[in-house]
Amino acid sequence: MAAAAEPGARAWLGGGSPRQGSPTSSPELGAGSRSRSGPGSGPGSGPGSGPGSGPERAGARPLGPAAPSHSFRKVTLTKPTFCHLCSDFIWGLAGILCDVCNFMSHEKCLKHVKTPCTSVAPSLVRVPVAHCFGPRGLYKRRFCAVCRKGLEAPGVRCEVCELHVHPDCVPFACSDCRQCHQDGHRDHDTHLHHWREGNLPSGARCEVCRKTCGSSDVLAGVRCEWCGVQAHSVCSAALAPECTFGRLRTMVLPPACVRLLSRNFSKMHCFRISESTAPEPGEGDDSVDGSTPAGPGREVMALESSKQTLKIFDGNDAVQRNYFRAITVPRLAKSQEVLEAALRAYYITEDPQGFQLQALPAPALAGDSGASGKVWSGGTTQEEGSRGPGARDVPSAIRVPEAWVICALPRTQEVLKIYPAWLKVGVAYVSIRVTPQSTARTVVLEVLPLLGRQAEGRKSFQLVEVLMGSRQVQRTVLADEEPLLDRLREIRQTSLRQMSQTRFYVAESRVVAPRVSLFVGGLPPGRSPQEYSSLLDEAVASKAGLVSVSHVYSTQGAVVLDVACFAEAERLYMLVRDTAVHGRPLTALVLPDVLHLKLPPDCRPLLVFVNPRSGGLKGRDLLCSFRKLLNPHQVFELTNGGPLPGFHVFSQVPCFRVLVCGGDGTVGWVLAALEEMRHRLACPEPAVAILPLGTGNDLGRVLRWGAGYSGEDPFSVLVSVDEADAVLVDRWTILLDAHEAGGGENSVADAEPPKIVHMSNYCGIGIDAELSLDFHQAREEEPGKFTSRFHNKGVYVRAGLQKLSHPRGLHRALRLQAEQQEVELPSIEGLIFINIPSWGSGADLWGSDSDSRFEKPRMDDGLLEVVGVTGVVHMGQVQGGLRSGIRIAQGSYFRVTLLKATPVQVDGEPWVQAPGHMIISAAGPKMG
């Protein structure tokens, strides 16, 4: 084996020295130019392709030294066109177009182009991080980051970063998502800008030159996805490389302070993103990176008689899955032109002489040996009798196959790029010539001296193959005797696209102690750790030597497991999600570890809870926005495990804040969980902010967060949370004891067990709780109809009209004691205990009139006010400001005796309470 240290073998990715401000895990914008790779290039040389149906590329070559691997040529413009660098209109009839990635430029701007071509972008990724693509949706004024075309049809976006792509461009997207945690691979403490190109607001201003850098016409400008700074791609080089997280730096959980070993888990699982929609056909439901066929309409179209559409496969895997790219070529096109168009369809810019097209017979032609033997090689011009697709003078009796496979010709040697698995080495990669005698062991032996690690011995290192798929990054340790040339041939036969996304790293052979924290919820409450272990062993057959219970939350029926094996953690995760215990489905979440000792002194990270079902169902968009503005590890979806996992992750953080996005019931849910977790938190009394998404939002009103969220900029919301003042609010505990269910001998046996609920706003008994219960049941039956506050309030009105003739008998169905004194009740139909001066969407139920019998109510005075209403009409008059409620009592301790089953609601959450006692008292420390 001959070592070949190519010129620039110690160069940074893309050639030259590392550009200041290059991102941690995104293409290195502004990297130097790279000549087109020859047939001996390895996978790191960056295959690429273009849309596949562009003009012929024969003779195309880079027009300037500043164009990083683009295949630019002059084109005649037939419609209004804008420059992708300066975003200005291109005047005249001539422009400069890259045949591969569709980058369009002024001729004068060509020398300033730093954006790499899509064909080499995967090779410029510094730390590969997979994306989290959500379901398809319509994204107006957005552009695909791969082919740079508009997303007129439904597209997909990453739930963690601002990447937008066409569904059939997903397999070609770089694995350059934000690195949000340390996972034991190329970890670092210095945080750099993470640039994302394009899709900026049209009024965005460059941080350097203060000119407009955004565009709604083309993919132009760059934005750091951590600090939000925006700039021209050329101007971004003038900014400092380190990212300070911008305005939200005190609220963001730094990635260097989060650890998650996630070898066998996808990013969707790591970030607890609900996979609510099944994978669409071709979106990679059972493949690593989601290869997709050409979208509807791309391969089926009305063609001119002089053109034809061919299906192009890039390997055996694509043939088995029937995933192809469609290209349109002239019927009289030369075979070499067809091959180049096929290579562009898969963003491959290697020399066509290293490839050939092989016909794939249709099922009807399965027995046609002549069709299956049609092959065209890109080496030399073929004779008339061996022309490939599109060949001229083809006899009408011979049918040209419509499906072709790109095959790589056998290679006797290759130049392979080997990357160091540690960041502080001074080089990005070294180039090694691989021959048939090369194995993983010999490659490691040759690479170590080039990296300055020869003194440590070969046994301390291993060769790791990394597949940088856009949906998942997979790592495989190669055996010492693995023949490298055979391995490269196998990858190319499987998929040429995967070849372009495969890297080889030299990594230290250190044993990483696997440790995965797995949250399991939905278990029966009130059990001991031993009982939970036995229950899980019976349900999912957990292995005692590998799985241990680290935390038990008995009152909420949840445990946190420490799993010391990646394979066992993955098995448990998948099995728990499909298991039910005592009729209740279990919940499984992968939780990260927050390294609280590494948090900066001024860091007060924000723990965000979002209920996507609250109010107008705006929570789904807010979830995505907050994941992009903050670290997704600090954003929790309440419908996926509740608030307990979030408090567990933040339990060791010395100072943090909480933002609850939802209605009053959601806020009460989170505050109740906080009450139960208080003694386990290093920050027992965090400040709680509210983003009101519900229908009434009474607590949000009195705390001046508004009557409801109406689409404000999520960044402005976070700034408001950071600047908010602390306000104290009383919290109350309600003990529900139904032991006096009746008068018979079996009343105790049939009664519900005692339970405790917490209250912040109000507790209603009678008519208002009955209306809330009717609304709650209607929303549970048809949640899709409850998408606006106006409709929700209409449902309340209809439910109230049906109860106009409700008899006044609540005062005869219960007894009230205030401060252990019996209180005589007037003729009422609803009894309400209020803690805040807002009820029923902002109504003042107590009223503003002074009364010598009672103190002026406040949210933090340690007193509750008791008010009665006579019926639906009275409630409507209160909400209209015409009347106030009937003042009954004020105090800090109340005892209510229910003589029959009665509707009860606490902070908007209703149920029917069995006969018995309700004791209301102060809960302890006040909430801020």
Side-chain angles (χ1 to χ4, degrees), residues 695-696 698 701 762 768 771 793 796-797 800 832 838-845 869 871-885:
T695 303
D698 291 293
R701 293 171 190 267
Y762 38 71
D768 75 313
L771 294 179
K793 292 180 179 179
Y796 270 113
V797 171
I832 304 168
S838 179
W839 169 86
S841 299
D844 185 1
L845 190 59
V869 292
V872 173
V873 175
H874 188 184
M875 293 169 60
Q877 292 172 335
V878 171
Q879 291 185 328
L882 302 178
R883 291 181 61 183
S884 59

PDB file of all heavy atoms in Angstrom, residues 695-696 698 701 762 768 771 793 796-797 800 832 838-845 869 871-885:
ATOM      1  N   THR A 695     -59.172  29.132  26.373  1.00  0.00           N
ATOM      2  CA  THR A 695     -60.372  29.901  26.024  1.00  0.00           C
ATOM      3  C   THR A 695     -60.590  31.051  27.000  1.00  0.00           C
ATOM      4  O   THR A 695     -60.841  32.180  26.590  1.00  0.00           O
ATOM      5  CB  THR A 695     -61.608  28.977  26.033  1.00  0.00           C
ATOM      6  OG1 THR A 695     -61.390  27.899  25.120  1.00  0.00           O
ATOM      7  CG2 THR A 695     -62.847  29.747  25.619  1.00  0.00           C
ATOM      8  N   GLY A 696     -60.493  30.803  28.306  1.00  0.00           N
ATOM      9  CA  GLY A 696     -60.702  31.860  29.291  1.00  0.00           C
ATOM     10  C   GLY A 696     -59.436  32.626  29.624  1.00  0.00           C
ATOM     11  O   GLY A 696     -59.398  33.847  29.620  1.00  0.00           O
ATOM     12  N   ASP A 698     -57.824  33.218  32.431  1.00  0.00           N
ATOM     13  CA  ASP A 698     -58.001  34.204  33.500  1.00  0.00           C
ATOM     14  C   ASP A 698     -56.700  34.502  34.234  1.00  0.00           C
ATOM     15  O   ASP A 698     -56.432  35.664  34.570  1.00  0.00           O
ATOM     16  CB  ASP A 698     -59.060  33.692  34.488  1.00  0.00           C
ATOM     17  CG  ASP A 698     -60.451  33.687  33.878  1.00  0.00           C
ATOM     18  OD1 ASP A 698     -60.976  34.781  33.605  1.00  0.00           O
ATOM     19  OD2 ASP A 698     -60.998  32.595  33.647  1.00  0.00           O
ATOM     20  N   ARG A 701     -54.599  36.792  32.203  1.00  0.00           N
ATOM     21  CA  ARG A 701     -55.112  38.173  32.196  1.00  0.00           C
ATOM     22  C   ARG A 701     -54.615  38.952  33.415  1.00  0.00           C
ATOM     23  O   ARG A 701     -54.128  40.082  33.291  1.00  0.00           O
ATOM     24  CB  ARG A 701     -56.640  38.160  32.177  1.00  0.00           C
ATOM     25  CG  ARG A 701     -57.261  37.615  30.903  1.00  0.00           C
ATOM     26  CD  ARG A 701     -58.761  37.453  31.076  1.00  0.00           C
ATOM     27  NE  ARG A 701     -59.375  36.732  29.982  1.00  0.00           N
ATOM     28  CZ  ARG A 701     -59.917  37.309  28.906  1.00  0.00           C
ATOM     29  NH1 ARG A 701     -59.911  38.623  28.796  1.00  0.00           N
ATOM     30  NH2 ARG A 701     -60.468  36.578  27.965  1.00  0.00           N
ATOM     31  N   TYR A 762     -59.592  29.481  40.630  1.00  0.00           N
ATOM     32  CA  TYR A 762     -60.904  29.378  41.262  1.00  0.00           C
ATOM     33  C   TYR A 762     -61.351  27.930  41.286  1.00  0.00           C
ATOM     34  O   TYR A 762     -60.864  27.079  40.537  1.00  0.00           O
ATOM     35  CB  TYR A 762     -61.956  30.228  40.538  1.00  0.00           C
ATOM     36  CG  TYR A 762     -61.822  30.237  39.038  1.00  0.00           C
ATOM     37  CD1 TYR A 762     -62.119  29.117  38.272  1.00  0.00           C
ATOM     38  CD2 TYR A 762     -61.379  31.378  38.375  1.00  0.00           C
ATOM     39  CE1 TYR A 762     -61.979  29.126  36.905  1.00  0.00           C
ATOM     40  CE2 TYR A 762     -61.229  31.398  37.003  1.00  0.00           C
ATOM     41  CZ  TYR A 762     -61.534  30.267  36.274  1.00  0.00           C
ATOM     42  OH  TYR A 762     -61.384  30.275  34.908  1.00  0.00           O
ATOM     43  N   ASP A 768     -71.629  26.468  37.103  1.00  0.00           N
ATOM     44  CA  ASP A 768     -70.493  26.813  36.242  1.00  0.00           C
ATOM     45  C   ASP A 768     -69.626  25.587  35.975  1.00  0.00           C
ATOM     46  O   ASP A 768     -69.082  25.423  34.875  1.00  0.00           O
ATOM     47  CB  ASP A 768     -69.664  27.935  36.872  1.00  0.00           C
ATOM     48  CG  ASP A 768     -68.824  27.459  38.032  1.00  0.00           C
ATOM     49  OD1 ASP A 768     -69.387  26.739  38.878  1.00  0.00           O
ATOM     50  OD2 ASP A 768     -67.632  27.813  38.086  1.00  0.00           O
ATOM     51  N   LEU A 771     -71.379  23.533  33.232  1.00  0.00           N
ATOM     52  CA  LEU A 771     -71.116  24.053  31.886  1.00  0.00           C
ATOM     53  C   LEU A 771     -69.711  23.676  31.419  1.00  0.00           C
ATOM     54  O   LEU A 771     -69.505  23.303  30.257  1.00  0.00           O
ATOM     55  CB  LEU A 771     -71.287  25.570  31.873  1.00  0.00           C
ATOM     56  CG  LEU A 771     -72.696  26.118  32.107  1.00  0.00           C
ATOM     57  CD1 LEU A 771     -72.690  27.643  32.084  1.00  0.00           C
ATOM     58  CD2 LEU A 771     -73.650  25.580  31.052  1.00  0.00           C
ATOM     59  N   LYS A 793     -66.178  29.651  22.817  1.00  0.00           N
ATOM     60  CA  LYS A 793     -67.123  30.428  23.619  1.00  0.00           C
ATOM     61  C   LYS A 793     -68.551  30.222  23.136  1.00  0.00           C
ATOM     62  O   LYS A 793     -69.505  30.255  23.934  1.00  0.00           O
ATOM     63  CB  LYS A 793     -66.746  31.904  23.571  1.00  0.00           C
ATOM     64  CG  LYS A 793     -65.428  32.197  24.297  1.00  0.00           C
ATOM     65  CD  LYS A 793     -65.058  33.668  24.242  1.00  0.00           C
ATOM     66  CE  LYS A 793     -63.755  33.918  24.990  1.00  0.00           C
ATOM     67  NZ  LYS A 793     -63.336  35.335  24.960  1.00  0.00           N
ATOM     68  N   TYR A 796     -69.893  27.245  24.867  1.00  0.00           N
ATOM     69  CA  TYR A 796     -70.309  27.593  26.229  1.00  0.00           C
ATOM     70  C   TYR A 796     -71.692  28.241  26.223  1.00  0.00           C
ATOM     71  O   TYR A 796     -72.550  27.944  27.067  1.00  0.00           O
ATOM     72  CB  TYR A 796     -69.292  28.550  26.858  1.00  0.00           C
ATOM     73  CG  TYR A 796     -68.167  27.864  27.596  1.00  0.00           C
ATOM     74  CD1 TYR A 796     -66.867  27.932  27.122  1.00  0.00           C
ATOM     75  CD2 TYR A 796     -68.413  27.180  28.779  1.00  0.00           C
ATOM     76  CE1 TYR A 796     -65.825  27.318  27.795  1.00  0.00           C
ATOM     77  CE2 TYR A 796     -67.377  26.563  29.456  1.00  0.00           C
ATOM     78  CZ  TYR A 796     -66.083  26.629  28.971  1.00  0.00           C
ATOM     79  OH  TYR A 796     -65.069  26.020  29.651  1.00  0.00           O
ATOM     80  N   VAL A 797     -71.927  29.147  25.282  1.00  0.00           N
ATOM     81  CA  VAL A 797     -73.217  29.845  25.221  1.00  0.00           C
ATOM     82  C   VAL A 797     -74.344  28.859  24.953  1.00  0.00           C
ATOM     83  O   VAL A 797     -75.408  28.905  25.596  1.00  0.00           O
ATOM     84  CB  VAL A 797     -73.165  30.946  24.148  1.00  0.00           C
ATOM     85  CG1 VAL A 797     -74.562  31.530  23.928  1.00  0.00           C
ATOM     86  CG2 VAL A 797     -72.190  32.040  24.555  1.00  0.00           C
ATOM     87  N   GLY A 800     -75.102  26.894  27.979  1.00  0.00           N
ATOM     88  CA  GLY A 800     -75.807  27.700  28.976  1.00  0.00           C
ATOM     89  C   GLY A 800     -77.272  27.895  28.638  1.00  0.00           C
ATOM     90  O   GLY A 800     -78.132  27.871  29.528  1.00  0.00           O
ATOM     91  N   ILE A 832     -68.653  29.527  44.121  1.00  0.00           N
ATOM     92  CA  ILE A 832     -67.349  29.687  43.491  1.00  0.00           C
ATOM     93  C   ILE A 832     -66.368  30.270  44.509  1.00  0.00           C
ATOM     94  O   ILE A 832     -66.657  31.302  45.138  1.00  0.00           O
ATOM     95  CB  ILE A 832     -67.440  30.604  42.248  1.00  0.00           C
ATOM     96  CG1 ILE A 832     -68.479  30.052  41.273  1.00  0.00           C
ATOM     97  CG2 ILE A 832     -66.077  30.725  41.570  1.00  0.00           C
ATOM     98  CD1 ILE A 832     -68.849  31.015  40.163  1.00  0.00           C
ATOM     99  N   SER A 838     -60.347  37.568  38.283  1.00  0.00           N
ATOM    100  CA  SER A 838     -60.773  37.293  36.915  1.00  0.00           C
ATOM    101  C   SER A 838     -61.414  35.918  36.890  1.00  0.00           C
ATOM    102  O   SER A 838     -60.835  34.939  37.367  1.00  0.00           O
ATOM    103  CB  SER A 838     -59.577  37.345  35.955  1.00  0.00           C
ATOM    104  OG  SER A 838     -59.982  37.061  34.632  1.00  0.00           O
ATOM    105  N   TRP A 839     -62.604  35.863  36.305  1.00  0.00           N
ATOM    106  CA  TRP A 839     -63.354  34.607  36.229  1.00  0.00           C
ATOM    107  C   TRP A 839     -64.165  34.607  34.938  1.00  0.00           C
ATOM    108  O   TRP A 839     -64.687  35.655  34.516  1.00  0.00           O
ATOM    109  CB  TRP A 839     -64.278  34.494  37.448  1.00  0.00           C
ATOM    110  CG  TRP A 839     -65.294  33.385  37.353  1.00  0.00           C
ATOM    111  CD1 TRP A 839     -65.121  32.090  37.703  1.00  0.00           C
ATOM    112  CD2 TRP A 839     -66.635  33.494  36.872  1.00  0.00           C
ATOM    113  NE1 TRP A 839     -66.267  31.379  37.482  1.00  0.00           N
ATOM    114  CE2 TRP A 839     -67.215  32.228  36.959  1.00  0.00           C
ATOM    115  CE3 TRP A 839     -67.390  34.545  36.364  1.00  0.00           C
ATOM    116  CZ2 TRP A 839     -68.530  31.972  36.568  1.00  0.00           C
ATOM    117  CZ3 TRP A 839     -68.698  34.298  35.970  1.00  0.00           C
ATOM    118  CH2 TRP A 839     -69.260  33.026  36.080  1.00  0.00           C
ATOM    119  N   GLY A 840     -64.248  33.457  34.291  1.00  0.00           N
ATOM    120  CA  GLY A 840     -65.077  33.374  33.088  1.00  0.00           C
ATOM    121  C   GLY A 840     -64.631  34.311  31.989  1.00  0.00           C
ATOM    122  O   GLY A 840     -65.416  35.100  31.482  1.00  0.00           O
ATOM    123  N   SER A 841     -63.354  34.273  31.621  1.00  0.00           N
ATOM    124  CA  SER A 841     -62.782  35.104  30.550  1.00  0.00           C
ATOM    125  C   SER A 841     -62.746  36.574  30.915  1.00  0.00           C
ATOM    126  O   SER A 841     -63.096  37.448  30.106  1.00  0.00           O
ATOM    127  CB  SER A 841     -63.540  34.906  29.229  1.00  0.00           C
ATOM    128  OG  SER A 841     -63.459  33.570  28.800  1.00  0.00           O
ATOM    129  N   GLY A 842     -62.328  36.876  32.133  1.00  0.00           N
ATOM    130  CA  GLY A 842     -62.051  38.259  32.496  1.00  0.00           C
ATOM    131  C   GLY A 842     -63.089  38.956  33.340  1.00  0.00           C
ATOM    132  O   GLY A 842     -62.912  40.141  33.666  1.00  0.00           O
ATOM    133  N   ALA A 843     -64.167  38.298  33.711  1.00  0.00           N
ATOM    134  CA  ALA A 843     -65.208  38.946  34.523  1.00  0.00           C
ATOM    135  C   ALA A 843     -64.748  39.087  35.972  1.00  0.00           C
ATOM    136  O   ALA A 843     -64.041  38.228  36.511  1.00  0.00           O
ATOM    137  CB  ALA A 843     -66.503  38.141  34.461  1.00  0.00           C
ATOM    138  N   ASP A 844     -65.184  40.197  36.615  1.00  0.00           N
ATOM    139  CA  ASP A 844     -64.865  40.444  38.023  1.00  0.00           C
ATOM    140  C   ASP A 844     -66.043  39.958  38.850  1.00  0.00           C
ATOM    141  O   ASP A 844     -67.032  40.678  39.036  1.00  0.00           O
ATOM    142  CB  ASP A 844     -64.605  41.932  38.255  1.00  0.00           C
ATOM    143  CG  ASP A 844     -64.140  42.214  39.683  1.00  0.00           C
ATOM    144  OD1 ASP A 844     -64.004  41.250  40.461  1.00  0.00           O
ATOM    145  OD2 ASP A 844     -63.935  43.394  40.009  1.00  0.00           O
ATOM    146  N   LEU A 845     -65.948  38.739  39.337  1.00  0.00           N
ATOM    147  CA  LEU A 845     -67.073  38.117  40.032  1.00  0.00           C
ATOM    148  C   LEU A 845     -67.303  38.734  41.412  1.00  0.00           C
ATOM    149  O   LEU A 845     -68.440  38.834  41.878  1.00  0.00           O
ATOM    150  CB  LEU A 845     -66.813  36.609  40.159  1.00  0.00           C
ATOM    151  CG  LEU A 845     -67.956  35.728  40.644  1.00  0.00           C
ATOM    152  CD1 LEU A 845     -69.165  35.851  39.721  1.00  0.00           C
ATOM    153  CD2 LEU A 845     -67.510  34.271  40.725  1.00  0.00           C
ATOM    154  N   VAL A 869     -73.733  32.373  42.588  1.00  0.00           N
ATOM    155  CA  VAL A 869     -74.486  32.825  41.412  1.00  0.00           C
ATOM    156  C   VAL A 869     -75.811  32.087  41.407  1.00  0.00           C
ATOM    157  O   VAL A 869     -75.901  30.925  41.828  1.00  0.00           O
ATOM    158  CB  VAL A 869     -73.716  32.576  40.099  1.00  0.00           C
ATOM    159  CG1 VAL A 869     -72.479  33.459  40.014  1.00  0.00           C
ATOM    160  CG2 VAL A 869     -73.325  31.114  39.951  1.00  0.00           C
ATOM    161  N   GLY A 871     -77.712  31.424  38.722  1.00  0.00           N
ATOM    162  CA  GLY A 871     -78.031  30.643  37.538  1.00  0.00           C
ATOM    163  C   GLY A 871     -77.297  31.159  36.319  1.00  0.00           C
ATOM    164  O   GLY A 871     -76.402  32.012  36.393  1.00  0.00           O
ATOM    165  N   VAL A 872     -77.697  30.649  35.138  1.00  0.00           N
ATOM    166  CA  VAL A 872     -77.036  31.001  33.879  1.00  0.00           C
ATOM    167  C   VAL A 872     -77.223  32.474  33.570  1.00  0.00           C
ATOM    168  O   VAL A 872     -76.299  33.160  33.107  1.00  0.00           O
ATOM    169  CB  VAL A 872     -77.570  30.116  32.737  1.00  0.00           C
ATOM    170  CG1 VAL A 872     -77.016  30.573  31.394  1.00  0.00           C
ATOM    171  CG2 VAL A 872     -77.233  28.658  32.979  1.00  0.00           C
ATOM    172  N   VAL A 873     -78.419  33.023  33.817  1.00  0.00           N
ATOM    173  CA  VAL A 873     -78.671  34.436  33.518  1.00  0.00           C
ATOM    174  C   VAL A 873     -77.778  35.323  34.383  1.00  0.00           C
ATOM    175  O   VAL A 873     -77.198  36.306  33.892  1.00  0.00           O
ATOM    176  CB  VAL A 873     -80.158  34.766  33.736  1.00  0.00           C
ATOM    177  CG1 VAL A 873     -80.405  36.258  33.550  1.00  0.00           C
ATOM    178  CG2 VAL A 873     -81.019  33.965  32.770  1.00  0.00           C
ATOM    179  N   HIS A 874     -77.668  34.994  35.634  1.00  0.00           N
ATOM    180  CA  HIS A 874     -76.791  35.751  36.536  1.00  0.00           C
ATOM    181  C   HIS A 874     -75.341  35.698  36.048  1.00  0.00           C
ATOM    182  O   HIS A 874     -74.631  36.716  36.048  1.00  0.00           O
ATOM    183  CB  HIS A 874     -76.915  35.195  37.956  1.00  0.00           C
ATOM    184  CG  HIS A 874     -76.212  36.029  38.979  1.00  0.00           C
ATOM    185  ND1 HIS A 874     -76.142  35.663  40.309  1.00  0.00           N
ATOM    186  CD2 HIS A 874     -75.538  37.211  38.887  1.00  0.00           C
ATOM    187  CE1 HIS A 874     -75.460  36.577  40.980  1.00  0.00           C
ATOM    188  NE2 HIS A 874     -75.079  37.528  40.132  1.00  0.00           N
ATOM    189  N   MET A 875     -74.873  34.511  35.603  1.00  0.00           N
ATOM    190  CA  MET A 875     -73.512  34.386  35.100  1.00  0.00           C
ATOM    191  C   MET A 875     -73.307  35.257  33.863  1.00  0.00           C
ATOM    192  O   MET A 875     -72.259  35.908  33.702  1.00  0.00           O
ATOM    193  CB  MET A 875     -73.198  32.924  34.771  1.00  0.00           C
ATOM    194  CG  MET A 875     -73.138  32.020  35.996  1.00  0.00           C
ATOM    195  SD  MET A 875     -73.070  30.265  35.576  1.00  0.00           S
ATOM    196  CE  MET A 875     -71.560  30.210  34.628  1.00  0.00           C
ATOM    197  N   GLY A 876     -74.299  35.299  32.973  1.00  0.00           N
ATOM    198  CA  GLY A 876     -74.192  36.149  31.791  1.00  0.00           C
ATOM    199  C   GLY A 876     -74.135  37.624  32.148  1.00  0.00           C
ATOM    200  O   GLY A 876     -73.398  38.391  31.512  1.00  0.00           O
ATOM    201  N   GLN A 877     -74.919  38.033  33.156  1.00  0.00           N
ATOM    202  CA  GLN A 877     -74.884  39.424  33.584  1.00  0.00           C
ATOM    203  C   GLN A 877     -73.532  39.791  34.195  1.00  0.00           C
ATOM    204  O   GLN A 877     -73.030  40.902  33.993  1.00  0.00           O
ATOM    205  CB  GLN A 877     -76.010  39.671  34.593  1.00  0.00           C
ATOM    206  CG  GLN A 877     -77.407  39.594  33.984  1.00  0.00           C
ATOM    207  CD  GLN A 877     -78.496  39.654  35.037  1.00  0.00           C
ATOM    208  OE1 GLN A 877     -78.278  39.300  36.199  1.00  0.00           O
ATOM    209  NE2 GLN A 877     -79.688  40.099  34.638  1.00  0.00           N
ATOM    210  N   VAL A 878     -72.915  38.855  34.933  1.00  0.00           N
ATOM    211  CA  VAL A 878     -71.590  39.117  35.496  1.00  0.00           C
ATOM    212  C   VAL A 878     -70.562  39.284  34.383  1.00  0.00           C
ATOM    213  O   VAL A 878     -69.731  40.203  34.416  1.00  0.00           O
ATOM    214  CB  VAL A 878     -71.186  37.977  36.452  1.00  0.00           C
ATOM    215  CG1 VAL A 878     -69.730  38.118  36.862  1.00  0.00           C
ATOM    216  CG2 VAL A 878     -72.083  37.973  37.682  1.00  0.00           C
ATOM    217  N   GLN A 879     -70.614  38.416  33.383  1.00  0.00           N
ATOM    218  CA  GLN A 879     -69.646  38.510  32.299  1.00  0.00           C
ATOM    219  C   GLN A 879     -69.877  39.750  31.449  1.00  0.00           C
ATOM    220  O   GLN A 879     -68.948  40.242  30.814  1.00  0.00           O
ATOM    221  CB  GLN A 879     -69.705  37.251  31.431  1.00  0.00           C
ATOM    222  CG  GLN A 879     -69.183  36.016  32.156  1.00  0.00           C
ATOM    223  CD  GLN A 879     -69.133  34.795  31.261  1.00  0.00           C
ATOM    224  OE1 GLN A 879     -69.957  34.652  30.363  1.00  0.00           O
ATOM    225  NE2 GLN A 879     -68.179  33.907  31.520  1.00  0.00           N
ATOM    226  N   GLY A 880     -71.086  40.242  31.438  1.00  0.00           N
ATOM    227  CA  GLY A 880     -71.363  41.474  30.706  1.00  0.00           C
ATOM    228  C   GLY A 880     -71.098  42.728  31.523  1.00  0.00           C
ATOM    229  O   GLY A 880     -71.278  43.841  31.011  1.00  0.00           O
ATOM    230  N   GLY A 881     -70.687  42.596  32.777  1.00  0.00           N
ATOM    231  CA  GLY A 881     -70.389  43.743  33.613  1.00  0.00           C
ATOM    232  C   GLY A 881     -71.605  44.414  34.212  1.00  0.00           C
ATOM    233  O   GLY A 881     -71.506  45.524  34.748  1.00  0.00           O
ATOM    234  N   LEU A 882     -72.772  43.758  34.153  1.00  0.00           N
ATOM    235  CA  LEU A 882     -74.000  44.366  34.663  1.00  0.00           C
ATOM    236  C   LEU A 882     -74.210  44.084  36.149  1.00  0.00           C
ATOM    237  O   LEU A 882     -74.864  44.870  36.837  1.00  0.00           O
ATOM    238  CB  LEU A 882     -75.201  43.840  33.871  1.00  0.00           C
ATOM    239  CG  LEU A 882     -75.150  44.077  32.354  1.00  0.00           C
ATOM    240  CD1 LEU A 882     -76.370  43.461  31.686  1.00  0.00           C
ATOM    241  CD2 LEU A 882     -75.070  45.575  32.059  1.00  0.00           C
ATOM    242  N   ARG A 883     -73.692  42.974  36.626  1.00  0.00           N
ATOM    243  CA  ARG A 883     -73.856  42.616  38.032  1.00  0.00           C
ATOM    244  C   ARG A 883     -72.569  41.984  38.536  1.00  0.00           C
ATOM    245  O   ARG A 883     -71.659  41.688  37.770  1.00  0.00           O
ATOM    246  CB  ARG A 883     -75.008  41.604  38.206  1.00  0.00           C
ATOM    247  CG  ARG A 883     -76.396  42.143  37.948  1.00  0.00           C
ATOM    248  CD  ARG A 883     -77.437  41.045  38.183  1.00  0.00           C
ATOM    249  NE  ARG A 883     -77.416  40.543  39.560  1.00  0.00           N
ATOM    250  CZ  ARG A 883     -78.195  39.531  39.985  1.00  0.00           C
ATOM    251  NH1 ARG A 883     -79.028  38.932  39.126  1.00  0.00           N
ATOM    252  NH2 ARG A 883     -78.131  39.132  41.247  1.00  0.00           N
ATOM    253  N   SER A 884     -72.518  41.765  39.807  1.00  0.00           N
ATOM    254  CA  SER A 884     -71.449  40.984  40.408  1.00  0.00           C
ATOM    255  C   SER A 884     -72.074  39.815  41.138  1.00  0.00           C
ATOM    256  O   SER A 884     -73.295  39.717  41.246  1.00  0.00           O
ATOM    257  CB  SER A 884     -70.615  41.834  41.377  1.00  0.00           C
ATOM    258  OG  SER A 884     -71.442  42.357  42.405  1.00  0.00           O
ATOM    259  N   GLY A 885     -71.244  38.912  41.643  1.00  0.00           N
ATOM    260  CA  GLY A 885     -71.778  37.766  42.346  1.00  0.00           C
ATOM    261  C   GLY A 885     -72.255  38.120  43.742  1.00  0.00           C
ATOM    262  O   GLY A 885     -72.088  39.251  44.231  1.00  0.00           O
TER     263      GLY A 885
END
